[in-house]
Amino acid sequence: MEEKKLNEQESLELITRMINQTKKETAVGSGNVFLVWGYLCTFLSLAVVAMTLLTRNGGWGWLYIAIPLVGFTIAGVLSGRMNKKYKNPGTYQAKSIGAVWACLSGVFAAYAAFCILHWSQPDAWTGMFLLGLLLPGIGTYCTGVILKEWSLQLCGFIGAFTGVQFLFEICTKGMAITIKWPVVMAIAMIIALVIPGHILNYKAKKAN
């Protein structure tokens, strides 16, 4: 059977439908996932700040270990429910977004494993904090690019910029993590994850 050739107008309409479908699928599934990670990182960062100021003990920074343990558990449950509710293979764009976040999660997990293997070198954990600032913003920015949502791109860029600033101070000052950085982490997560999560949920509600 001979394939029908699309003219320019039909091609644009097809691309537009694909993008809109991707926005709908991604917003329905990932808005809550953004919120889970965003609020979890924000609240734990504020908890670290509060407990450090109350006890004058920097050891409360180890609370951050709970983020991947709790986050991946809740996100896995949410993803399972969404896959069960929306039984479709998904669009290419949706799969691309999933691949981006899977890649970033893999980088984070690989570095975490490396730090565990070198437990006697506590300074290595500073890199975990750096990745925690950088990766969510990068993932949100890439999601915004794929969905052609400028608001997500802006939030992702601002979130990732805090990680760049942290990297600069490490390289130029050789600093340890001070009390200001958990505060910056909380703000960055609100910008890079919480706000985009609410945007995606709003888009999903509007699309349906």
Side-chain angles (χ1 to χ4, degrees):
M1 181 181 295
E2 185 178 354
E3 294 183 0
K4 179 182 177 181
K5 294 184 178 180
L6 301 178
N7 58 39
E8 182 178 354
Q9 182 63 31
E10 290 173 331
S11 298
L12 290 174
E13 291 177 354
L14 176 60
I15 293 171
T16 300
R17 286 199 302 271
M18 291 175 64
I19 292 174
N20 289 337
Q21 179 64 20
T22 301
K23 287 181 179 180
K24 180 178 178 180
E25 291 180 5
T26 306
V28 169
S30 63
N32 289 335
V33 176
F34 272 68
L35 294 177
V36 166
W37 285 104
Y39 281 121
L40 177 61
C41 294
T42 299
F43 289 146
L44 267 179
S45 294
L46 295 178
V48 168
V49 173
M51 295 308 299
T52 301
L53 291 176
L54 287 173
T55 64
R56 301 296 178 182
N57 185 350
W60 288 101
W62 291 104
L63 282 175
Y64 279 114
I65 293 178
I67 290 178
L69 299 177
V70 177
F72 280 116
T73 300
I74 298 177
V77 172
L78 288 177
S79 297
R81 289 180 178 177
M82 295 307 301
N83 291 334
K84 186 176 180 181
K85 184 176 182 180
Y86 298 96
K87 298 178 180 179
N88 57 59
T91 62
Y92 175 79
Q93 289 90 342
K95 291 179 180 178
S96 298
I97 292 172
V100 168
W101 285 101
C103 179
L104 297 178
S105 299
V107 171
F108 190 87
Y111 189 80
F114 191 85
C115 287
I116 292 174
L117 292 174
H118 298 80
W119 189 269
S120 61
Q121 300 180 25
D123 289 345
W125 290 92
T126 302
M128 290 287 290
F129 197 87
L130 172 63
L131 293 179
L133 284 170
L134 272 176
L135 299 186
I138 293 173
T140 298
Y141 178 82
C142 292
T143 301
V145 170
I146 294 172
L147 294 178
K148 298 187 182 302
E149 285 287 348
W150 68 268
S151 56
L152 266 67
Q153 295 177 41
L154 179 61
C155 288
F157 178 81
I158 295 174
F161 182 78
T162 62
V164 174
Q165 181 185 358
F166 184 74
L167 176 61
F168 176 79
E169 294 201 15
I170 291 176
C171 294
T172 59
K173 301 178 182 179
M175 64 164 198
I177 299 176
T178 59
I179 192 65
K180 84 168 184 179
W181 283 106
V183 177
V184 173
M185 171 73 81
I187 297 172
M189 294 304 101
I190 291 173
I191 296 172
L193 293 174
V194 174
I195 294 176
H198 284 296
I199 291 174
L200 288 173
N201 281 346
Y202 171 76
K203 296 287 185 180
K205 184 178 180 180
K206 187 176 179 180
N208 286 278

